[in-house]
Amino acid sequence: MALTGRRPLAHRRGGGRLLRETWALTARELKHWYRVKIQIFMTLIQPIVWLGLFGQAFNIGALLPPQTVPMFFSGAPDYFSFMAIGMLAVNALFTCMFSGMSIVWDRRFGFLNKLKVAPIPRGVVPISRILATVVRSTIQVSIVLVIALAFQYIPGLTGLTLKEGFGIVDLAGMFAVLFLLSTAFASLFTTIALAVENQETLFGVINLLNLPLMFASAALFPTAMMPDWLRAVADYNPLTWAADAMRQFAFIDTIPIHSLAFDVLGLLAVAILLMGASVVVSRKLLSNR
């Protein structure tokens, strides 16, 4: 009876310790990120380059009859607005692709070996990286959104135009979608980083997945422009689900690829699956045996 009475207390202490360990490793990742000033600079300059050059130069909407533009671009009044929303998802993807670099460097400098012998659950390691990446992704996506909106006030540039009545609920919905997308891709690339031995291999995998994920999606171009076989792939790309869901929050009279429920539940399922896989794989790869 005495032992039985102590177990809930021990369990509560174990849960609290688990949270502290996860937060400690997450905070460590975030400190490493914001202490490297060049990364902060790239966070600011990269969206300006993409939105200022790619978004302004590829004005596909100018080739279409004006009355068909909203229908062709999922309710967006112009191509830039269509692309800017998709760019939020692409930026989250880029951030998540490098979520595993810290694991490669920790392995190189011996910190990962210390974690292997530390009395912590192995799943804490990938979860802390995933959480840190989601925080970074949220910050960077917020910057992209502000820059895209600010372009409206610069003469000669096209800016992001949201629907009339766009409010906090729509904004929260967009960031909830980005949270699921970031969790899914951060889990994927963290798992890959745990499995590879050096940064060259990780960069090779990133380069292999980068373009197919980005261009075989509805993030930057409407799927109506794609051949049938590519459209079939793009329609079930998580990047497409995220962009499609966010456009339903951002614009009116959209013609979505899927329903909002389909997009959100699909992202939720992928995020849970990939995070679970990351935890399971980490238990094997970080075993000290």
Side-chain angles (χ1 to χ4, degrees):
M1 289 295 294
L3 289 175
T4 303
R6 292 193 192 103
R7 290 175 68 182
L9 178 60
H11 178 73
R12 289 196 296 270
R13 287 178 177 173
R17 181 180 178 184
L18 179 64
L19 290 175
R20 289 195 299 272
E21 291 163 347
T22 303
W23 170 246
L25 289 177
T26 302
R28 174 181 176 269
E29 289 301 305
L30 292 174
K31 287 178 182 178
H32 284 181
W33 172 61
Y34 71 71
R35 284 176 178 173
V36 181
K37 303 306 180 185
I38 187 63
Q39 293 190 25
I40 306 298
F41 174 76
M42 292 301 298
T43 299
L44 295 172
I45 200 66
Q46 187 183 45
I48 296 175
V49 172
W50 272 88
L51 296 172
L53 297 181
F54 189 87
Q56 304 296 329
F58 288 84
N59 188 12
I60 304 173
L63 304 177
L64 302 172
Q67 64 272 18
T68 66
V69 168
M71 179 179 64
F72 196 74
F73 293 134
S74 301
D78 50 64
Y79 173 69
F80 182 88
S81 296
F82 173 89
M83 188 277 295
I85 294 298
M87 193 63 215
L88 301 181
V90 171
N91 192 269
L93 169 64
F94 285 168
T95 304
C96 294
M97 280 185 168
F98 295 96
S99 60
M101 285 304 300
S102 63
I103 292 179
V104 173
W105 285 103
D106 283 347
R107 178 183 285 114
R108 182 173 180 179
F109 291 107
F111 183 76
L112 201 59
N113 290 330
K114 295 179 181 178
L115 292 178
K116 288 182 179 181
V117 299
I120 60 173
R122 297 297 174 255
V124 168
V125 177
I127 288 176
S128 63
R129 263 59 172 191
I130 293 167
L131 290 176
T133 302
V134 169
V135 173
R136 289 173 51 197
S137 176
T138 301
I139 294 172
Q140 295 184 196
V141 164
S142 300
I143 294 172
V144 175
L145 181 59
V146 170
I147 292 173
L149 290 169
F151 274 16
Q152 296 182 74
Y153 305 100
I154 301 177
L157 296 182
T158 303
L160 171 59
T161 303
L162 300 173
K163 67 182 180 183
E164 185 177 354
F166 181 87
I168 189 66
V169 174
D170 298 304
L171 184 64
M174 289 175 60
F175 275 92
V177 168
L178 287 166
F179 173 83
L180 294 175
L181 181 71
S182 299
T183 301
F185 280 133
S187 300
L188 172 63
F189 288 100
T190 296
T191 305
I192 293 172
L194 286 170
V196 303
E197 295 295 330
N198 54 66
Q199 66 183 38
E200 289 79 10
T201 303
L202 181 59
F203 274 123
V205 175
I206 289 174
N207 290 330
L208 177 65
L209 297 178
N210 183 5
L211 293 181
L213 281 171
M214 182 169 60
F215 287 110
S217 76
L220 302 180
F221 299 101
T223 55
M225 298 177 59
M226 301 177 181
D228 291 341
W229 67 268
L230 185 57
R231 186 187 309 172
V233 174
D235 283 352
Y236 294 93
N237 183 336
L239 210 61
T240 293
W241 297 344
D244 188 47
M246 286 190 292
R247 288 178 183 126
Q248 293 181 58
F249 285 112
F251 308 124
I252 59 173
D253 298 329
T254 59
I255 303 178
I257 299 172
H258 304 289
S259 68
L260 182 61
F262 181 95
D263 290 332
V264 172
L265 291 176
L267 287 169
L268 178 62
V270 172
I272 293 174
L273 178 65
L274 291 177
M275 179 177 275
S278 185
V279 171
V280 171
V281 169
S282 70
R283 290 174 181 172
K284 178 179 179 181
L285 296 178
L286 296 177
S287 173
N288 199 40
R289 291 179 295 177

